[in-house]
């Protein structure tokens, strides 16, 4: 319990808040490409930081919630399902990264891209917006490009800034 109490520190709360704010602002600022069946959320690059601190997945989830308030599809799926998916996907990516001995960071990032794209495709299907497999594949490709591309930047920043 002592280890958990130390990790839920003021420092981690500030980190979570910064990630959430950056995610929401970048997504809304680039709204034309951030929403819809085919989307390219530049803010997704922030997900790479969950590899180094699993608490940051909460920041991604909170940022997703606030960013999705501006979505043309805003509703329970956008405000509950997608933030929850981002948090759980981030924790899964962190766990895989740890299991791999912190080697091969692209693998957990591609899995994170898959969980996000599958969740979006399912949400679009449930909303009756169609797209299904094609939309999921397109989102996976954009996610994979962003997340795999963010790995070197994330590694560099994590070495410069104490993210633990």
């Amino acid at each position: 319990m002592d280890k958990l109490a130390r990790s839920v520190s003021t420092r981690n709360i500030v980190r979570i808040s910064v990630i959430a704010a950056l995610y929401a602002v970048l997504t809304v600022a680039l709204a034309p490409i951030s929403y819809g069946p085919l989307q390219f959320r530049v803010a997704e690059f922030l997900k790479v930081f969950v590899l180094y601190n699993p608490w940051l997945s909460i920041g991604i989830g909170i940022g997703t919630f606030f960013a999705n308030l501006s979505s043309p599809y805003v509703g329970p799926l956008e405000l509950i399902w997608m933030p929850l998916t981002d948090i759980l996907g981030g924790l899964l990516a962190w766990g895989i990264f740890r299991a791999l001995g912190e080697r091969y960071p692209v693998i957990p990032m591609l899995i994170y891209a898959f969980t996000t794209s599958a969740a979006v495709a399912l949400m679009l299907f449930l909303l009756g917006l169609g797209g299904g497999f094609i939309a999921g594949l397109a989102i996976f490709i954009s996610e994979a490009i962003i997340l795999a591309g963010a790995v070197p930047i994330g590694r560099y920043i994590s070495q410069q800034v104490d993210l633990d």
Side-chain angles (χ1 to χ4, degrees), residues 11 15 49 52 151-164:
R11 179 175 279 181
R15 289 178 180 138
F49 297 121
Y52 306 100
V151 166
I153 296 165
R155 180 177 290 151
Y156 176 77
I157 292 173
S158 74
Q159 292 170 345
Q160 304 305 312
V161 178
D162 178 25
L163 291 177
D164 288 333

Side-chain angles (χ1 to χ4, degrees), residues 85-161:
T85 298
D86 276 339
I87 292 169
L88 295 176
L91 293 174
L92 176 63
W94 174 79
I96 292 168
F97 186 56
R98 293 289 179 247
L100 294 173
E102 299 189 12
R103 295 182 313 261
Y104 315 111
V106 171
I107 293 170
M109 288 290 90
L110 291 176
I111 292 169
Y112 203 171
F114 175 77
T115 61
T116 301
S117 62
V120 171
L122 179 60
M123 182 188 69
L124 292 172
F125 172 77
L126 293 173
L127 291 173
L129 297 173
F133 176 77
I134 300 299
L137 181 61
I139 292 170
F140 174 76
I141 291 168
S142 71
E143 285 281 313
I145 290 168
I146 293 168
L147 297 181
V151 166
I153 296 165
R155 180 177 290 151
Y156 176 77
I157 292 173
S158 74
Q159 292 170 345
Q160 304 305 312
V161 178

